[in-house]
Amino acid sequence: MIAREISGDLVVLDAIGLRSRGRETAGRAGLAWWRTAAVYQCYIRSFADGNGDGVGDIAGLRSRLSYLASLGIDAVWINPWYPSPQHDVGYDVIEYRAIEPAYGDLSEADAVIAEAHSLGLKVILDIVPNHSSSQAPWFQAALAGDEAARARYIFRPGRGSSGELPPNDWASEFGGPAWARTIDELGRPGEWYLHLFGAQQPDFNWDSPDVRRYFEDVLRFWFDRGVDGFRIDVAYGLVKASGLPDAGERGYIQYNEEHPAWDQDGVHEIYRSWRAICDEYEDRVFVAELWVRNNERLAAYLRADELHTAFQFDFLRTPFRADLMREVIDNARLRASEVGAPPTWVLSNHDVVRHVTRYARSQPDHLVESFWDKSRWEDEQADLGRGVRRARAALLLMLALPGIVYLYQGEELGLPEFEDIPQEHRVDPRITQSEGADVGRDGCRIPLPWSGTAPPYGFTETDTATWLPQPVDWSALTVEAQDGDPSSTLELYRHALRLRREQFADAPDLEWIDAPAGILAFRRGSLECWINTTSDPVAMPPGSVLLRSGGEPVDGPVAADEAVWLTTS
């Protein structure tokens, strides 16, 4: 059964279930706001530039808050905006209680939080507790020999006759070994430090009381400033197995295989302390990036005294095939029902190929094994027209499902992956650390096109080059070009999000409708969603059309690669 076949993959659940917790502000139908929220991911460096330097910033975000409110979302998740040398575009943090100077300052952060709230938008920040920047004062002090600072990271002597080999066989998520050797001021090699990601991102030692106290202070610092929640980066990685044993064939892992670097029991004590802090405040939430290997491991994170929610990446990994979509939806709902909680759905984010491009090529008959493995596409030209049609249909499917949805900036414009970035302009550390085997994630992080007919498309008001280059053929994809056009993807998102809030958010749980092969159909009360993943049109089911992904709500068959919302009342 599918629950066993993909039981190792990430699931998004909420440990609270349907029980009232008092401190949660009731939203639709008396539920906490986040249980049915539509959340917009703002990759701040690429969202909007407010000071003309070609880099997105808080001023740019603040100037576009009304645009976000007009979409019909409930919350904004902001990727890391802390001081950082940007080796991993903000996920290498120097200080968590300050703002990256290129983005603004704390007063601007306070202003954007306040203005978002005035527009009815919640604000979720990214927190990166697994590792810091190698330029963080603590790590620099550790390199200088400060023993208290060294205890905050994971240093070990090397193996081999002179310590020339890494302490174990763990591999970095970005390629190559997960260890880097220190060199003193005289050029002599010393101990090694652990970095499960880039060498510029040393892992914290969460056995250190200093580390635990620091992050508890960080949570309070931002909660006191009005932040509504945190997305926890690498939430499953903070605690490592005692003794740091070899992983053997598991040296590099993906998709939830057991590994001594991930999902260790000691992490739960950390999240219980975090939850206690969160519960001191009203209406706050944790959203975890959480990969675990089975249902039992998952449930442990989502107990009522730990984390609230996490991401559902199975849906993102699913090809445009009705049978696989149904299996993943059923699996997520089954797991959610075990704790009485809503699942969370997402189609794209800052780490994966945009779904317009994923859907623009042949679709495999299984869940995609790697978010960034593009080798199977080398000889296949993308049909972006088909990709957009499928992406629009998948949106209506996702928004009709019960639970929480996350939208990645630019998907509301139908943006594809920018696959032809010149090599000299790519900046993702995956490229260098994998020695070119992985082209990286830059293609989904291109600065947004707002207006005009040529780069920088209103992203910045100056002639300064954007931090990543933009394609020259995006003029039809700008906000300006799509605003008010009823056939545009932007207006489809606005219309669909409004109908979701009005009709689907409070609807009953879904019930499958028998449908031909390649067709996915379900009802929620008097509402129905039909999606056609075949290459042929099918007859329109009875009912009044609310919205269709391919055009106006008129009679006619459900076209290939189209979804339709109906009401039967």
Side-chain angles (χ1 to χ4, degrees):
M1 62 181 293
I2 188 66
R4 300 280 72 79
E5 291 172 358
I6 61 175
S7 63
D9 296 323
L10 175 73
V11 181
V12 179
L13 304 178
D14 161 38
I16 294 173
L18 298 178
R19 300 186 299 274
S20 172
R21 292 194 57 86
R23 286 185 178 273
E24 296 168 359
T25 296
R28 305 179 194 113
L31 299 177
W33 65 269
W34 45 266
R35 298 181 64 86
T36 57
V39 184
Y40 185 97
Q41 180 187 354
C42 175
Y43 194 76
I44 191 168
R45 196 171 181 85
S46 292
F47 185 68
D49 172 21
N51 65 5
D53 65 356
V55 175
D57 49 36
I58 295 174
L61 170 58
R62 190 176 173 187
S63 72
R64 303 291 185 176
L65 283 176
S66 59
Y67 166 79
L68 294 180
S70 78
L71 281 178
I73 60 169
D74 301 295
V76 181
W77 156 31
I78 303 172
N79 286 101
W81 61 1
Y82 317 109
S84 168
Q86 304 293 323
H87 287 296
D88 190 19
V89 198
Y91 283 90
D92 47 324
V93 180
I94 290 176
E95 167 56 55
Y96 295 77
R97 297 165 299 186
I99 295 295
E100 164 59 39
Y103 297 160
D105 56 32
L106 278 173
S107 65
E108 290 181 275
D110 290 339
V112 84
I113 293 168
E115 290 184 26
H117 287 166
S118 72
L119 292 168
L121 301 177
K122 305 289 187 179
V123 177
I124 297 171
L125 297 186
D126 231 315
I127 191 168
V128 189
N130 182 71
H131 50 264
S132 75
S133 166
S134 58
Q135 295 185 25
W138 275 3
F139 192 71
Q140 288 297 305
L143 292 180
D146 184 318
E147 290 301 321
R150 288 176 69 84
R152 299 165 186 152
Y153 294 91
I154 300 175
F155 286 89
R156 294 290 187 275
R159 297 188 289 191
S161 59
S162 58
E164 73 278 8
L165 299 176
N168 66 27
D169 64 356
W170 296 1
S172 164
E173 287 284 307
F174 290 173
W179 295 90
R181 197 172 190 186
T182 60
I183 304 294
D184 69 16
E185 65 277 3
L186 298 178
R188 296 172 299 192
E191 289 194 322
W192 299 71
Y193 68 87
L194 180 67
H195 60 87
L196 291 176
F197 294 87
Q200 302 86 4
Q201 296 164 286
D203 279 48
F204 282 116
N205 173 20
W206 274 86
D207 289 333
S208 165
D210 290 348
V211 171
R212 298 194 181 208
R213 283 192 296 266
Y214 175 76
F215 276 96
E216 289 174 359
D217 182 63
V218 169
L219 296 176
R220 287 193 170 95
F221 178 87
W222 289 109
F223 280 147
D224 287 342
R225 302 185 95 90
V227 166
D228 300 287
F230 288 92
R231 178 264 190 185
I232 306 170
D233 186 60
V234 196
Y236 52 98
L238 277 56
V239 175
K240 282 69 175 176
S242 177
L244 308 182
D246 279 349
E249 295 181 357
R250 304 164 300 172
Y252 172 77
I253 59 97
Q254 193 173 1
Y255 303 124
N256 320 327
E257 299 172 19
E258 185 176 357
H259 191 283
W262 307 128
D263 186 29
Q264 301 300 306
D265 290 341
V267 77
H268 300 290
E269 179 187 352
I270 296 169
Y271 293 133
R272 283 191 289 272
S273 70
W274 283 28
R275 182 57 178 265
I277 293 170
C278 185
D279 284 348
E280 295 172 9
Y281 299 81
E282 294 187 2
D283 210 18
R284 311 303 166 93
V285 65
F286 288 128
V287 183
E289 182 192 21
L290 184 63
W291 293 88
V292 292
R293 60 187 181 271
N294 57 44
N295 290 339
E296 291 73 25
R297 304 300 302 181
L298 173 70
Y301 287 87
L302 300 173
R303 290 173 288 202
D305 62 346
E306 292 191 37
L307 303 178
H308 300 82
T309 65
F311 286 104
Q312 169 43 284
F313 287 140
D314 291 344
F315 192 66
L316 181 153
R317 296 174 53 213
T318 307
F320 195 79
R321 292 179 178 271
D323 56 342
L324 296 178
M325 287 174 166
R326 177 166 175 168
E327 288 178 344
V328 165
I329 292 167
D330 275 344
N331 182 254
R333 291 172 56 245
L334 171 65
R335 293 176 174 180
S337 69
E338 294 173 351
V339 291
T344 298
W345 314 101
V346 60
L347 287 167
S348 281
N349 64 31
H350 65 294
D351 283 332
V352 305
V353 174
R354 285 188 177 272
H355 60 279
V356 163
T357 298
R358 298 201 312 270
Y359 292 153
R361 291 186 170 94
S362 58
Q363 301 296 287
D365 59 3
H366 53 80
L367 267 63
V368 178
E369 293 301 320
S370 172
F371 293 148
W372 38 81
D373 179 10
K374 307 171 184 69
S375 60
R376 69 182 181 87
W377 293 345
E378 289 179 353
D379 299 320
E380 185 179 355
Q381 185 68 31
D383 181 348
L384 292 180
R386 169 173 283 186
V388 170
R389 291 192 300 274
R390 289 173 168 173
R392 289 165 62 104
L395 171 74
L396 293 199
L397 170 63
M398 181 175 72
L399 293 187
L401 295 171
I404 311 161
V405 296
Y406 276 77
L407 310 172
Y408 178 49
Q409 67 175 45
E411 71 172 79
E412 78 275 16
L413 305 177
L415 296 187
E417 186 85 355
F418 185 18
E419 298 184 286
D420 298 324
I421 303 173
Q423 191 68 20
E424 64 272 18
H425 291 298
R426 293 186 179 271
V427 300
D428 190 346
R430 286 184 179 276
I431 301 168
T432 54
Q433 202 156 311
S434 69
E435 298 181 344
D438 186 338
V439 300
R441 301 158 291 179
D442 297 322
C444 67
R445 301 174 173 184
I446 303 303
L448 293 188
W450 292 95
S451 61
T453 58
Y457 299 114
F459 173 78
T460 181
E461 298 301 324
T462 69
D463 293 331
T464 303
T466 53
W467 75 279
L468 282 174
Q470 298 166 305
V472 296
D473 59 353
W474 275 12
S475 61
L477 300 178
T478 67
V479 173
E480 180 183 59
Q482 298 190 50
D483 188 30
D485 178 358
S487 67
S488 70
T489 299
L490 174 58
E491 293 299 339
L492 176 69
Y493 269 72
R494 287 172 172 164
H495 194 176
L497 284 164
R498 177 177 61 81
L499 287 176
R500 177 182 184 267
R501 178 186 293 268
E502 294 173 354
Q503 309 244 11
F504 281 99
D506 297 334
D509 196 9
L510 71 82
E511 175 187 355
W512 293 112
I513 300 171
D514 289 338
I519 311 299
L520 195 65
F522 60 85
R523 66 173 58 90
R524 296 183 61 193
S526 63
L527 304 169
E528 294 184 3
C529 177
W530 292 69
I531 182 169
N532 180 3
T533 69
T534 74
S535 57
D536 299 309
V538 296
M540 178 71 73
S544 300
V545 176
L546 287 173
L547 186 64
R548 55 193 306 167
S549 64
E552 292 295 321
V554 296
D555 293 336
V558 182
D561 303 326
E562 185 181 35
V564 178
W565 287 354
L566 304 164
T567 179
T568 57
S569 60

